[in-house]
Amino acid sequence: MFHPRRTLRTLLLPLAAGLALTALPATSAHAASTLTNGGFEADGAGAAAPSGWSEYGSTGASFVEAGGHGGSYRLSHWASSAYKVETYQYLSGLTNGAYKLTAWVRSGGGQNSAYIALKNCGGAEQRTDLPVSASGWIRIVVPVNVTNNQCTISVNSDANAGNWINVDDLTFTSGTSGTSIKGADISSLPKSEAKGGVYRNSSGTSGDALAILKSSGMNYARLKVWVNPADGYNNKAHVLALAKRVKAQGMKLLVDFHYSDFWADPGRQDKPAAWAGHSYSQLRTDVYNHTYDVLSALKTQGTTADMVQVGNEINGGMLWNEGSTSNWTQLAGLLNSGYDAVKAVNSSTTVALHLAKGGDLAGTRWWFDSARSNGVKFDAIGLSYYGYWHGTLADFQTTLDDAASRYGKPVFVAETAYPFRLDSEDSHENIIDTSAELVSGYPASVAGQTRWMNDVASIVEAVPNGRGLGIFYWEATWTAVNGNGWDPTDPSSGNGWENQALFGYDDRALSSMSWFRHR
């Protein structure tokens, strides 16, 4: 996460021991042009400071101990009372250019801040916060552009009593990182507006939700398409209208085909009523014609789709029962029919396949191995990852990295979200409404929501070989508006997700929108 350098603080010498280092560190005896002892193996446990590293602040809180990620030892920060400590290494004689620090980390959470940084490299300091992960190790990266032939690698904790981090296997190499997609699903927006929904910027001025999101850094919108929904929303006409607004903001467009009149997900993949009773052969034609029809209309009006999902959360297949995963030959035919239609409209549109359960390594492998062996064509892999349902952050990273490498495709988070509060604004019970349902270390607060999104983004950014595309937040604009409930067949249905929107109960943009600015 990028933080502008606080110039005033960098000019002031620390007033008391225990303040994290902010001034340029003195060139240590260990200065080198390559990272020394990045695995903390040189000394064993108990060294006052790891070889090649220096410490500042509450130095007793920084130490090497057994239990490494790769080797036998790791760096840890911990103390029985509140502490501020920095473990750092100064590199000099660097060739100017782009570099990337990679580290394996764990954290029990609770700190005021815990991060790895690259600073004094000639430009703005670059930081990546440590995700809260008490058991599984997580790989994070920090990119920087060195312009003054030097750089300081910093492991920093501003912590409360008993807070801890582990850091290991740091590497500092040429390269860069970042994500290209900072997106959100805003499918709910037209109906919300039609039913009186209002959106305000952080200072309370009402405005266009899309413009507010764009000003916060959103660059990609995801829109679902139902075939003939009961309420008339999320159909071709509404997608066309909303796509014009998306493109007018300079955003890219992902079109998410559900191939249903209703929500399609791992538990439900109902055929549209208009396709009921059709043969498998006819369903292949239906998929092609519907996909082509929507996308060609978008192209004709000058809002060509940049990415398309052929199906939504299709862990069990789609268009049941003909397209179920119990008949992979038929499912493959339906998916390739959708792929061919997308490419017939615009050959450069990315075709993604989307599964839920982003922490399920075995299930994801089984599905995409089956797809590959049945000749399914696709360009990218999208995973839904909700931390309160789909496993730990470490599980998620393992699954995401594996998908990227095993299939040689770029990957992205098609859906994620997190609550900024637990109580409900309408009379409908929220999907997540008790503290027991939350992910440990991530409170139901604006700060917790912000932290969740930045940490998920850091994991996507760290996918090897630049294959992590980015994230779509799920339903940023689905606030509690009477008549804009979850069920298109029931006007009185409520919204169980308003506590996970990116607009608060006062309709103002939440500061958690800052995640859109993640690298």
Side-chain angles (χ1 to χ4, degrees):
M1 185 164 52
F2 173 74
H3 292 267
R5 189 162 67 182
R6 296 174 177 84
T7 308
L8 180 62
R9 288 186 62 195
T10 62
L11 294 175
L12 294 173
L13 289 173
L15 299 177
L19 284 179
L21 183 70
T22 50
L24 187 70
T27 304
S28 82
H30 304 296
S33 59
T34 55
L35 177 61
T36 302
N37 193 23
F40 303 99
E41 297 296 309
D43 316 290
S51 294
W53 295 86
S54 303
E55 296 172 340
Y56 186 84
S58 308
T59 56
S62 170
F63 50 92
V64 174
E65 63 180 343
H69 167 262
S72 300
Y73 302 98
R74 67 193 185 208
L75 174 71
S76 294
H77 287 179
W78 175 86
S80 58
S81 56
Y83 63 95
K84 295 182 182 179
V85 69
E86 179 182 35
T87 311
Y88 66 94
Q89 186 169 149
Y90 169 67
L91 302 181
S92 61
L94 296 171
T95 301
N96 287 339
Y99 290 86
K100 182 170 70 173
L101 179 70
T102 303
W104 287 89
V105 301
R106 297 192 300 194
S107 172
Q111 302 90 348
N112 299 315
S113 62
Y115 60 89
I116 296 183
L118 296 172
K119 62 186 190 178
N120 308 320
C121 311
E125 176 179 326
Q126 297 292 320
R127 294 183 181 180
T128 302
D129 292 322
L130 270 62
V132 180
S133 180
S135 54
W137 290 90
I138 290 176
R139 188 184 60 259
I140 59 174
V141 296
V142 190
V144 76
N145 192 38
V146 173
T147 59
N148 61 354
N149 305 110
Q150 64 185 34
C151 197
T152 300
I153 295 166
S154 169
V155 181
N156 212 300
S157 292
D158 176 354
N160 301 298
N163 294 163
W164 61 270
I165 64 170
N166 302 148
V167 178
D168 203 2
D169 294 338
L170 288 93
T171 59
F172 185 73
T173 58
S174 295
T176 188
S177 70
T179 53
S180 58
I181 295 173
K182 289 94 171 175
D185 195 306
I186 53 164
S187 301
S188 60
L189 183 59
K191 189 174 181 181
S192 173
E193 291 171 332
K195 301 293 182 182
V198 174
Y199 298 88
R200 304 181 186 277
N201 64 20
S202 56
S203 59
T205 305
S206 61
D208 176 18
L210 266 175
I212 293 168
L213 288 160
K214 171 67 185 297
S215 70
S216 295
M218 177 173 153
N219 66 7
Y220 221 124
R222 178 179 186 256
L223 307 180
K224 72 170 172 277
V225 190
W226 286 335
V227 177
N228 188 25
D231 63 357
Y233 288 89
N234 298 299
N235 60 6
K236 176 186 169 183
H238 275 96
V239 167
L240 286 169
L242 190 50
K244 284 187 177 179
R245 294 172 58 185
V246 166
K247 293 282 188 167
Q249 291 291 341
M251 296 184 189
K252 290 187 174 181
L253 174 64
L254 165 59
V255 178
D256 171 19
F257 284 94
H258 283 232
Y259 301 113
S260 180
D261 296 333
F262 195 77
W263 302 98
D265 55 45
R268 184 168 184 170
Q269 294 280 340
D270 301 338
K271 285 194 287 285
W275 304 358
H278 286 192
S279 66
Y280 166 69
S281 175
Q282 181 60 44
L283 287 171
R284 284 189 65 174
T285 303
D286 293 334
V287 167
Y288 186 97
N289 289 345
H290 171 62
T291 306
Y292 187 92
D293 177 50
V294 173
L295 296 178
S296 60
L298 284 165
K299 182 179 179 180
T300 297
Q301 72 171 14
T303 59
T304 301
D306 299 283
M307 190 187 298
V308 168
Q309 281 180 219
V310 176
N312 187 77
E313 296 191 331
I314 50 176
N315 300 60
M318 65 185 199
L319 294 169
W320 289 349
N321 288 314
E322 287 79 359
S324 140
T325 49
S326 61
N327 190 333
W328 260 104
T329 303
Q330 290 192 174
L331 175 56
L334 294 169
L335 293 171
N336 283 338
S337 190
Y339 179 95
D340 291 343
V342 176
K343 297 298 186 178
V345 174
N346 183 47
S347 61
S348 61
T349 295
T350 300
V351 178
L353 298 180
H354 170 210
L355 300 187
K357 305 180 182 177
D360 179 8
L361 175 65
T364 303
R365 275 187 176 180
W366 172 82
W367 199 97
F368 278 100
D369 282 358
S370 301
R372 189 166 59 177
S373 65
N374 281 278
V376 176
K377 296 176 285 189
F378 62 99
D379 305 320
I381 292 171
L383 298 176
S384 293
Y385 175 61
Y386 296 98
Y388 36 73
W389 293 329
H390 294 156
T392 67
L393 286 167
D395 293 335
F396 165 57
Q397 180 168 69
T398 300
T399 306
L400 195 68
D401 288 355
D402 185 77
S405 61
R406 190 176 180 90
Y407 309 106
K409 301 290 186 183
V411 294
F412 64 97
V413 177
E415 296 180 18
T416 190
Y418 206 76
F420 62 89
R421 59 195 291 172
L422 290 173
D423 61 313
S424 185
E425 190 183 1
D426 62 12
S427 58
H428 191 75
E429 182 181 1
N430 286 337
I431 296 290
I432 302 297
D433 64 351
T434 70
S435 56
E437 294 172 302
L438 298 172
V439 180
S440 178
Y442 297 89
S445 63
V446 175
Q449 185 184 53
T450 308
R451 182 84 189 270
W452 176 258
M453 290 309 299
N454 277 309
D455 290 349
V456 171
S458 292
I459 288 172
V460 178
E461 182 188 16
V463 173
N465 301 309
R467 289 196 175 117
L469 294 178
I471 298 180
F472 291 93
Y473 193 89
W474 197 71
E475 281 291 11
T477 56
W478 199 13
T479 54
V481 175
N482 193 33
N484 192 22
W486 69 275
D487 186 350
T489 69
D490 179 6
S492 68
S493 63
N495 177 4
W497 288 85
E498 79 270 13
N499 66 324
Q500 299 191 63
L502 293 181
F503 291 85
Y505 290 5
D506 58 0
D507 300 322
R508 294 189 184 202
L510 297 172
S511 60
S512 44
M513 283 189 193
S514 63
W515 86 262
F516 287 121
R517 301 283 184 195
H518 194 280
R519 281 185 303 268

